[in-house]
Amino acid sequence: MLEARNLECTRGDHVLFSNLDFSLEAGELVHLRGSNGSGKTSLLRTLC
């Protein structure tokens, strides 16, 4: 199980995401979508 609660990521003065909550059970997948610079890679790096 992967569980994230109240994640936030900023770049300088720009908030990429905040108050992000989610959980994944074993075998579940997540599909990240968004425009360039929206924080997809930053989210993955934060989780690592």
Side-chain angles (χ1 to χ4, degrees), residues 18-38:
S18 64
N19 299 319
L20 180 65
D21 296 331
F22 67 90
S23 62
L24 295 171
E25 297 295 331
E28 288 186 312
L29 301 174
V30 64
H31 181 167
L32 296 177
R33 296 181 353 164
S35 59
N36 289 346
S38 63

Side-chain angles (χ1 to χ4, degrees), residues 3-48:
E3 185 173 42
R5 296 285 177 238
N6 201 26
L7 290 180
E8 180 176 299
C9 182
T10 59
R11 289 250 188 247
D13 293 334
H14 183 72
V15 177
L16 297 177
F17 54 84
S18 64
N19 299 319
L20 180 65
D21 296 331
F22 67 90
S23 62
L24 295 171
E25 297 295 331
E28 288 186 312
L29 301 174
V30 64
H31 181 167
L32 296 177
R33 296 181 353 164
S35 59
N36 289 346
S38 63
K40 299 177 301 289
T41 300
S42 295
L43 172 59
L44 294 175
R45 287 180 177 163
T46 299
L47 293 173
C48 287

